[in-house]
Amino acid sequence: MAPPSAARALCSAARLGVPRRPRSATAAAAAASPRGAAPLPAADSGGARPVVPPPPPPPPPPRGAEREPPPAVDFGDPREAFRSKSSAELLRGLVVLGLCAVEPLVEHNRELLQVCQRVLGQALFERLMKMTFYGQFVAGEDQEAIKPLIRRNQAFGVGAVLDYSVEEDLSAEEAERKELDSCTSAAEKETGGAEQREKQYRAHRGFGDRRGGVISARTYFYADEAKCDQHMETFLRCIDASGGSSENGFSAIKLTALGRPQFLLQFSEVLVKWRRFFHQMAAEQGQAGRAALEMKLEAEKLQEALANLGIATKAESQHWFTGENLGMSGTVDLLDWNSLIDSRTKLSKLLLVPNMQTGQLEPLLSRFTEEEDLQMKRMLQRMDVLAKRATEKGVRLMVDAEQSYFQPAISRLTLEMQRRFNRDQAIIFNTYQCYLKEAYDNVTVDVELSRREGWHFGTKLVRGAYMEQERERAAQIGYEDPINPTYEKTNEMYHRCLDYILEEIKHNRKANVMVASHNEDTVKFTLRRMMELGIHPSEKKVYFGQLLGMCDQITFPLGQAGYPVYKYMPYGPVNEVLPYLSRRAQENRGFMQRANQERDLLWREVKRRLLTGMLFSPNH
């Protein structure tokens, strides 16, 4: 049995814990099936009825019988792509997506929105927004208002990922002040010790406003613990709304909303330094350049290295290895190493890291204050509350990725939730950003851990939302750029990670992946590989996701062909989602400059309805 991790030790200290849920019928069926056989689909759990009921799914075939192949998907048929849309919605889409391609309008969209607000007044401004940008990209103002759209999309085979997209409208100066304060510990403020930390993992003036260069991700800034509790309550309402309005829904959360980002920075630095230490020892054993899981340190040489560095005597390290059942085969891989350091360091006491110069384990900080210790535990408690509610409501909880200097800690804490809540099915989904150079190593290591420990791996694959900001920060502060050098390299990384997970699904039906992409080639690649590997859409192991208001020509043909596909649905009051709408306009600028297919299909469908006399008909 795996030893408790640093994060799990904290959870225990905070009196967290979840009783094991009864093994589900689906999980039992999967366990009883031969390797490679699909588990029987779970029975529907009820929920809101769609406006137009979709045809019932076919019954599962007898074990060993051939399944009906899924129907072909045509992304170039405008009638199928926009069957769910009224003619007014088609015209709105043409106008909004067209405006998003006009550079000066997009560049100054915030200023233009503010002018419209002053000239028209709040009531008229909100009405205009609902007829245009808000109506295109936002599902509604609250949990009740979004239900009709969710049900209509369900009727066409499209689910929902709910995301309450209200943001605090801070000035750049306010955002920077909050970030610098919340990313620096009390001890560092007193002594200036932050300068001793690695550049990448400390806050920097000029990059305190994390919204800069970010076009698609919501940003939270720490105010106080009460504000974090408010964010948790908002996420809970979002989970409830997802559970109450759709079946098999998702809800999205961000960990920077749940606690002080100082801890994410510090924990990330600890994790990265320990992994770097492992890679250095692997290089000394002649294994430089290998993939993370292919590095296997000889246990005897590792013990000698630890002794030579003064980290542990050979007797002490032998005792560690025996106690953790490590090195029994004579080698230690990265997962063994992670398990070992988890049992030797405790996050809640001192964040211990190896110093290669002195050969000693040294604290990253001189001390935590009592309040900082409580703040860290409260972050973990909030995560626990959300995971429990998601489990109760049958909602999958998707933890969004964030900046690379937060991400190691975010991924690790999400993984700890997966170990606890994904025993019977995938409830917690981590997000992997494939523009990161280390994406493949991260995916393969976490998949291997899930395989060894027997829990269900759940992930969302994205290309990434912070590229411009990440590149500029690395260049100005002076550390290695964590991003792949070209868009083509990022595409290669995405397909490589995706293919690895699809292969895992073929051999072990406990893996699950959401292909969150607007790239038609990536979606086609996924469909082809699913066919080649014998992964049927009815197994609901591979999901697809696109943003509301974008790429309907991908989403709806997939849904009508029986593939699990979801719209990422932001919601919130008009005035409070303006920052989100501003970024949607910016994202569409780049998207529309790359591809005009969606607008062309919209025009073709409008013309078809006009020529057939169906432009104003409810049955189109």
Side-chain angles (χ1 to χ4, degrees):
M1 184 172 178
S5 71
R8 192 175 299 171
L10 262 185
C11 292
S12 176
R15 301 189 189 284
L16 302 179
V18 180
R20 284 289 302 274
R21 289 177 290 109
R23 190 171 178 83
S24 69
T26 304
S33 299
R35 183 176 177 86
L40 298 179
D44 289 341
S45 57
R49 300 295 297 171
V51 176
V52 181
R63 185 172 297 171
E66 289 290 328
R67 287 184 219 259
E68 283 291 324
V73 182
D74 183 358
F75 298 125
D77 183 345
R79 186 170 185 178
E80 286 302 310
F82 304 115
R83 186 185 293 276
S84 69
K85 299 286 188 255
S86 68
S87 296
E89 288 171 325
L90 295 183
L91 294 170
R92 180 189 68 198
L94 277 171
V95 170
V96 170
L97 297 180
L99 290 173
C100 288
V102 179
E103 187 76 24
L105 287 179
V106 176
E107 190 68 31
H108 303 288
N109 73 85
R110 291 299 297 274
E111 295 87 344
L112 291 170
L113 288 174
Q114 290 167 0
V115 169
C116 287
Q117 206 167 4
R118 286 197 298 270
V119 171
L120 297 176
Q122 189 61 31
L124 274 177
F125 174 75
E126 289 194 6
R127 188 171 179 183
L128 175 65
M129 293 304 293
K130 287 182 178 179
M131 292 171 60
T132 54
F133 288 92
Y134 181 94
Q136 181 74 11
F137 298 122
V138 182
E141 296 203 66
D142 54 37
Q143 290 97 320
E144 287 303 312
I146 65 179
K147 285 183 179 179
L149 179 59
I150 290 174
R151 288 170 181 160
R152 180 164 53 138
N153 283 354
Q154 279 182 328
F156 293 90
V158 177
V161 180
L162 296 189
D163 183 17
Y164 190 67
S165 293
V166 169
E167 289 185 23
E168 199 174 1
D169 200 5
L170 299 173
S171 68
E173 293 75 18
E174 287 178 291
E176 184 167 285
R177 179 183 56 79
K178 285 190 171 187
E179 184 74 356
L180 291 173
D181 181 68
S182 62
C183 286
T184 310
S185 71
E188 288 168 339
K189 289 173 185 174
E190 288 176 11
T191 64
E195 295 304 314
Q196 306 304 314
R197 303 248 314 276
E198 288 207 13
K199 294 177 182 178
Q200 185 174 357
Y201 298 101
R202 60 178 194 250
H204 291 269
R205 197 170 299 279
F207 292 94
D209 186 356
R210 288 183 278 111
R211 298 169 299 184
V214 177
I215 56 174
S216 61
R218 199 170 23 134
T219 305
Y220 290 94
F221 293 95
Y222 181 83
D224 51 38
E225 292 297 290
K227 192 70 173 177
C228 293
D229 286 335
Q230 289 177 23
H231 292 153
M232 181 187 71
E233 292 298 328
T234 298
F235 290 148
L236 287 171
R237 288 194 294 272
C238 194
I239 292 168
D240 291 343
S242 185
S245 59
S246 65
E247 298 173 11
N248 302 314
F250 285 87
S251 188
I253 67 169
K254 265 188 160 61
L255 292 200
T256 50
L258 298 177
R260 193 178 180 93
Q262 165 199 339
F263 308 121
L264 297 177
L265 275 177
Q266 292 164 344
F267 192 23
S268 290
E269 185 172 356
V270 168
L271 293 169
V272 167
K273 283 188 171 180
W274 275 109
R275 180 177 283 206
R276 191 182 299 153
F277 187 45
F278 177 86
H279 282 286
Q280 181 166 334
M281 288 189 289
E284 291 173 359
Q285 293 192 19
Q287 300 184 43
R290 291 189 184 181
L293 279 179
E294 293 174 4
M295 292 181 177
K296 298 186 186 297
L297 306 183
E298 293 181 34
E300 185 75 21
K301 289 184 178 179
L302 175 57
Q303 290 170 357
E304 289 175 5
L306 292 173
N308 292 338
L309 287 166
I311 291 176
T313 66
K314 196 164 184 182
E316 286 174 332
S317 61
Q318 284 176 340
H319 178 69
W320 293 352
F321 281 39
T322 303
E324 306 298 336
N325 292 320
L326 301 178
M328 307 299 286
S329 63
T331 60
V332 174
D333 66 11
L334 183 58
L335 289 177
D336 295 331
W337 176 250
N338 289 342
S339 175
L340 177 66
I341 65 166
D342 284 347
S343 66
R344 307 316 317 161
T345 63
K346 294 291 180 279
L347 178 62
S348 59
K349 297 185 182 299
L350 298 173
L351 294 160
L352 296 174
V353 295
N355 185 321
M356 296 301 291
Q357 279 70 47
T358 65
Q360 297 294 317
L361 287 178
E362 297 179 353
L364 192 67
L365 295 176
S366 59
R367 61 185 171 83
F368 272 127
T369 66
E370 184 177 349
E371 177 58 24
E372 284 174 333
D373 200 45
L374 288 172
Q375 287 171 352
M376 186 161 46
K377 291 174 182 177
R378 287 189 203 113
M379 176 189 282
L380 296 169
Q381 287 173 321
R382 292 181 188 111
M383 292 170 62
D384 187 72
V385 167
L386 294 172
K388 286 178 178 175
R389 181 68 64 87
T391 302
E392 291 166 6
K393 297 291 183 178
V395 172
R396 275 75 58 88
L397 197 61
M398 191 173 284
V399 181
D400 284 341
E402 305 194 44
Q403 283 86 351
S404 63
Y405 43 90
F406 292 139
Q407 195 55 41
I410 291 170
S411 286
R412 184 51 179 272
L413 295 175
T414 303
L415 186 145
E416 293 304 323
M417 286 201 294
Q418 290 181 312
R419 293 168 101 171
R420 296 173 57 213
F421 292 95
N422 286 12
R423 305 306 302 184
D424 299 326
Q425 59 181 312
I427 294 290
I428 309 299
F429 278 62
N430 199 0
T431 301
Y432 295 86
Q433 299 161 305
C434 293
Y435 65 12
L436 294 177
K437 295 173 182 175
E438 61 183 21
Y440 183 76
D441 278 350
N442 292 339
V443 167
T444 55
V445 167
D446 291 352
V447 167
E448 175 63 21
L449 182 65
S450 72
R451 190 186 296 142
R452 290 186 190 183
E453 296 184 347
W455 44 269
H456 291 250
F457 180 80
T459 181
K460 176 177 72 169
L461 287 184
V462 299
R463 280 173 172 79
Y466 305 94
M467 182 177 71
E468 182 183 327
Q469 182 190 101
E470 293 273 14
R471 287 199 188 287
E472 185 180 356
R473 189 178 190 268
Q476 288 197 23
I477 294 172
Y479 58 86
E480 183 185 350
D481 184 355
I483 307 297
N484 286 315
T486 64
Y487 182 75
E488 289 72 27
K489 287 291 183 184
T490 293
N491 276 346
E492 288 175 19
M493 180 67 79
Y494 194 105
H495 288 189
R496 187 182 182 202
C497 292
L498 175 57
D499 202 53
Y500 184 88
I501 297 168
L502 293 176
E503 288 278 0
E504 178 68 11
I505 292 171
K506 174 186 176 181
H507 297 295
N508 174 11
R509 257 37 188 194
K510 286 188 173 184
N512 306 260
V513 61
M514 174 171 278
V515 182
S517 177
H518 295 151
N519 188 307
E520 188 176 311
D521 290 337
T522 293
V523 174
K524 288 178 176 177
F525 169 83
T526 310
L527 298 181
R528 176 173 60 80
R529 290 298 288 142
M530 288 176 69
M531 181 73 73
E532 291 169 355
L533 295 169
I535 303 169
H536 198 272
S538 65
E539 295 179 59
K540 297 185 178 179
K541 293 294 182 183
V542 181
Y543 313 91
F544 297 87
Q546 290 83 40
L547 291 165
L548 183 68
M550 294 174 64
C551 291
D552 286 348
Q553 80 277 10
I554 291 178
T555 308
F556 285 88
L558 283 171
Q560 291 168 74
Y563 288 89
V565 63
Y566 291 79
K567 279 295 191 188
Y568 202 92
M569 287 193 175
Y571 68 99
V574 174
N575 215 37
E576 297 181 49
V577 298
L578 289 182
Y580 175 86
L581 289 174
S582 174
R583 289 198 305 277
R584 281 288 73 75
Q586 291 174 349
E587 181 166 12
N588 270 282
R589 170 181 57 184
F591 178 78
M592 295 308 292
Q593 287 169 351
R594 290 194 304 271
N596 291 316
Q597 183 185 10
E598 186 165 6
R599 280 189 298 174
D600 292 342
L601 289 171
L602 281 165
W603 270 121
R604 284 168 56 191
E605 179 61 8
V606 168
K607 285 188 281 189
R608 185 193 68 80
R609 292 186 189 184
L610 182 63
L611 294 174
T612 57
M614 301 179 70
L615 189 63
F616 303 105
S617 169
N619 300 313
H620 38 258

